[in-house]
Amino acid sequence: MSDVGTDFRIALWVLRFLGFGGFGQDYEIMLGDIQERFSRRRSRLRFWAEVAGVVWRGALLTGQFRRLLLKRMAVWTIVGMGMFALGYRTAQRSFTAEMERKSAVENLLLARQLVANDRFLKDELARAQSLYQKEKTFEAMRQLQFVKARFDAAQYEYDEFFSRHSLNGAVRR
Amino acid sequence: MPRPNDALSNFELMVLLAVLRLGDEAYGVPIAEEIEKRRRKAVSIGSVYAALDRLSSKGFVVSELGEATAERGGKAKKYFRIAGKGLAEVRETRRTLMELWSGLPDVQGKRA
């Protein structure tokens, strides 16, 4: 076991310099009390716990320390709120960007589907027209009218979609 | 009538009562040990002195420096004595607590 006197000297230094002067001139008296208790119990751990307790209690007694504590609390509150706001904004941005990307992909797929449908119906219409020109039957006329109605509806949907989304011509082609 | 700031905390009341019990021998160590003995919990010198500091600033206790002993590394003792104002405050607190306790058999260990 090392020299206990060294512990007492360090403790006195700690109390004087880290105690924030909360107990005024009483640190030596308090260290005397702690030493007296130590001489009865011989527990070094207990001794240093007592010293730490005195430092903490002494610090709490001083306005200087309380002001410091309040300032730190204010700073940490601001830092915490800032970090929360930053995190929230970042999460919100990436979520919005993700939704926009998803929406763009869906629109592109729909546009391609509309273009393919438009081409198919144009071919169907051309076939129905040539069939009617060739046969001139009632059935061929009914088929032509039916395909024309579908083509008109598809055209309307196609124009409405492309004007709404202002998609570039690449999709149309 | 005591000012609102003069109201005693639980621990301050214990310290005042320990000072009263110890009489002329009331300094840091015996006060802490007296409270430990009754409370059956460890009490640090720092908390005792913090309470004594508050009691002193309220004018409830007065102190004087005592002798130094080898057991204390040659450091002086500080003896505390209860002041008239402190005694009046202890009596007032006791009266208030007794009135609040009366008619509550549950907190006196009796069944209602």
Side-chain angles (χ1 to χ4, degrees):
Chain A
M1 194 174 166
S2 64
D3 181 20
V4 176
T6 313
D7 286 48
F8 295 151
R9 278 191 293 277
I10 296 170
L12 187 59
W13 184 87
V14 167
L15 290 178
R16 274 186 185 151
F17 292 98
L18 296 181
F20 290 85
F23 286 112
Q25 300 300 311
D26 284 352
Y27 284 111
E28 248 183 88
I29 292 162
M30 290 163 77
L31 187 63
D33 282 344
I34 295 171
Q35 269 182 262
E36 191 181 322
R37 284 188 118 182
F38 177 77
S39 67
R40 292 179 199 171
R41 292 186 187 171
R42 311 297 296 177
S43 165
R44 261 180 144 173
L45 188 70
R46 182 70 199 248
F47 174 82
W48 281 106
E50 292 268 22
V51 171
V54 169
V55 170
W56 175 242
R57 300 261 170 195
L60 283 181
L61 286 176
T62 61
Q64 185 196 351
F65 182 77
R66 280 200 294 264
R67 277 196 295 277
L68 185 77
L69 211 63
L70 275 175
K71 270 185 202 164
R72 292 226 168 137
M73 276 167 67
V75 167
W76 281 111
T77 307
I78 291 165
V79 169
M81 283 168 71
M83 283 177 76
F84 175 77
L86 194 70
Y88 181 78
R89 203 171 152 76
T90 310
Q92 198 186 27
R93 263 187 190 169
S94 60
F95 177 75
T96 312
E98 178 64 25
M99 289 309 288
E100 277 171 2
R101 252 198 314 275
K102 213 171 163 185
S103 173
V105 169
E106 278 171 3
N107 282 341
L108 198 66
L109 288 173
L110 189 60
R112 282 187 179 166
Q113 205 178 336
L114 284 172
V115 169
N117 195 34
D118 184 65
R119 280 180 192 153
F120 170 77
L121 286 173
K122 264 182 190 160
D123 294 345
E124 280 288 293
L125 187 62
R127 257 199 299 279
Q129 274 171 340
S130 84
L131 186 71
Y132 178 69
Q133 292 293 337
K134 215 189 281 175
E135 295 180 1
K136 294 278 183 192
T137 59
F138 179 72
E139 267 308 305
M141 190 186 73
R142 287 285 305 272
Q143 178 64 20
L144 177 62
Q145 281 173 342
F146 176 69
V147 174
K148 182 101 174 58
R150 277 181 65 195
F151 179 74
D152 288 344
Q155 276 284 299
Y156 175 78
E157 197 181 346
Y158 180 98
D159 290 341
E160 200 268 336
F161 178 84
F162 281 99
S163 63
R164 182 153 40 95
H165 293 285
S166 318
L167 285 173
N168 59 38
V171 180
R172 285 173 187 247
R173 283 192 294 274
Chain B
M1 190 73 183
R3 287 174 296 159
N5 288 355
D6 287 353
L8 290 174
S9 73
N10 217 0
F11 192 71
E12 284 170 5
L13 182 62
M14 284 185 211
V15 170
L16 271 183
L17 291 172
V19 169
L20 267 175
R21 294 181 83 89
L22 291 162
D24 291 341
E25 280 303 308
Y27 66 96
V29 176
I31 295 171
E33 286 176 350
E34 185 70 18
I35 299 170
E36 272 180 354
K37 198 163 75 183
R38 313 281 168 184
R39 202 183 173 200
R40 297 184 196 98
K41 271 185 194 170
V43 173
S44 72
I45 291 291
S47 57
V48 169
Y49 271 90
L52 283 167
D53 190 80
R54 289 194 298 273
L55 291 169
S56 185
S57 63
K58 288 173 187 171
F60 292 165
V61 291
V62 285
S63 61
E64 60 187 46
L65 280 181
E67 78 281 12
T69 61
E71 192 189 24
R72 302 170 54 84
K75 292 172 185 74
K77 291 175 183 172
K78 193 175 191 180
Y79 287 102
F80 292 88
R81 191 160 48 78
I82 193 157
K85 196 180 166 190
L87 195 60
E89 184 61 25
V90 170
R91 285 190 182 131
E92 177 64 24
T93 307
R94 183 182 181 277
R95 188 192 59 76
T96 311
L97 288 175
M98 292 301 279
E99 277 186 23
L100 286 166
W101 270 321
S102 66
L104 295 172
D106 280 353
V107 292
Q108 290 168 25
K110 295 174 196 167
R111 289 242 159 227

